Amino acid sequence: MTIAIPFDNSYARLPGGFHSVQAPTPVQAPRLVAFNADLAQLLGITPGEVGEMAQVFAGNALPQGAEPLAQLYSGHQFGNYNPQLGDGRAILLGEVVGSDGIRRDIQLKGAGRTPYSRGGDGRAWLGPVLREYVVSEAMAALGIPTTRALAAVETGEAVRREQVLPGAVLTRVAQSHLRVGTFQVFAARGEIGHLKRLTDYAIARHYPDADGPMGLLTAVRDAQARLIARWMGVGFIHGVMNTDNSSIAGETIDYGPCAFMDTYHPDTVYSSIDRYGRYAYSNQPDIAVWNLAQLATALIQQAEDKKAAVEEATGIVHAMPGLLEREWLRVFAAKIGIERPVEGDKALVTDLLVRMARGQADFTNTFRALGAPKARDQFADPTAYDSWAQGWRQRLACEAAPEAVMRGRNPAFIPRNHRVEQMIAAAVSGDYAPFHRLNSVLARPYEDQPDHIDLTRPPAENEVVQATFCGT
Ligand code: AMP
Ligand code: MG
């Protein structure tokens, strides 16, 4: 059987200034290490033989209908504007419309140099590829908007970082790879024709009901507010919320030094490059507003009446903190069993979080155990939980089915950092069993799965991951 991908490309139809035509650079000895058959089915892809799929997902063979290109974008990295970024190691093969009617990009990450590679080698090593595979699929199973992983291939080539490491390519699937930075690059260059074209494209592709640039801004704001609230609800720290990693479709994108918190603390930072904690857990809502302001600034450039556009955009951006807070409360209220939060519920949630931080409670396990004796054991001083739970129980008396609400919102399983690191170390030495195990358990994060209870445990002292690193 031959692999068939029903490409229907739209980005390739945009003018040349949007991208560079760029084929992947072949690799020596591709070996398919993962293929996501369920996702392939959603995308209407007919799988081929393993050897053939290795060739295709390594970029050695272009499937029928692919029109490979690298996308142009720019962005603010840690607050500083970088006038040109672009796909330096990613190549878009094309798009497919899934059985759900949604158009998605199929992109090879780590497929070789492009005109945007700057000093980079265009490659990825196995660790970040498997990390993104596991974490993005876990995110999808948690029900949080995200890019997906279709395949992972080992290239049979070495990649030089601080060490020599095995190379790999990830096939990433996204509702699109449009970022805030895609708008910024045209705005900053004064390429208003392209900016208008991009705005129309984004509206048609993602928010067909949006009315013009300000309608788009509003839609992105709402999608981002929902997304970031959902991250907060599972203790997810993205780690590099640069504007080039901020998706217009409102998906989690670019899994680099990201991490799920074990012990709860609002200031938690894992990323080795985030020295000042710009992207710390609790800063994420503020950063999302900051990023939206950059999108607003870019979109405004196309307005005829700039003054009016600035005023309107300012109103849209200024409404985001309130929106984020409402979304946050909705998420956290559900985590404690409350379907429709009312006055006072915010204080109840905040009180729990303050006690969790003080008590060094495990974020995931505390919420999962709420109401059970195991919850109090998460706290250094269990009476801190007991006194909170008293007020909480009184509040729950007015709720119809708190247990059911909580169960679907408090996962038992998250991709814990130490497990991800152990999985990578095993894969590098040729053992893919932990990778497959993580994928299969994390596909059902809200089920107890008693056989895999070890994966719910926080790291032992010698297993704690102190820092995470970029995917480069
Ligand atoms: P990221 O940190 O993955 O969001 O990447 C930031 C920018 O660096 C993007 O323009 C990437 O394409 C580029 N980049 C990252 N790694 C590499 C690499 N190994 N080779 C070339 N470009 C890269
Ligand atoms: Mg990026």
Side-chain angles (χ1 to χ4, degrees), residues 116-131:
Y116 314 115
S117 296
R118 297 170 291 159
D121 61 1
R123 294 298 183 191
W125 78 273
L126 185 60
V129 165
L130 296 182
R131 168 194 285 270

Side-chain angles (χ1 to χ4, degrees), residues 178 198-213 215-216:
L178 298 181
L198 180 65
T199 303
D200 292 344
Y201 179 86
I203 291 173
R205 185 159 175 180
H206 297 302
Y207 306 106
D209 298 333
D211 186 11
L216 175 63

Side-chain angles (χ1 to χ4, degrees), residues 73 77 85-89 117-118 120-123 161 244-245 254 472:
Y73 55 85
Q77 300 179 301
L85 293 164
D87 290 333
R89 59 169 161 168
S117 296
R118 297 170 291 159
D121 61 1
R123 294 298 183 191
R161 296 293 179 258
D244 57 301
N245 295 335
D254 263 7
T472 47

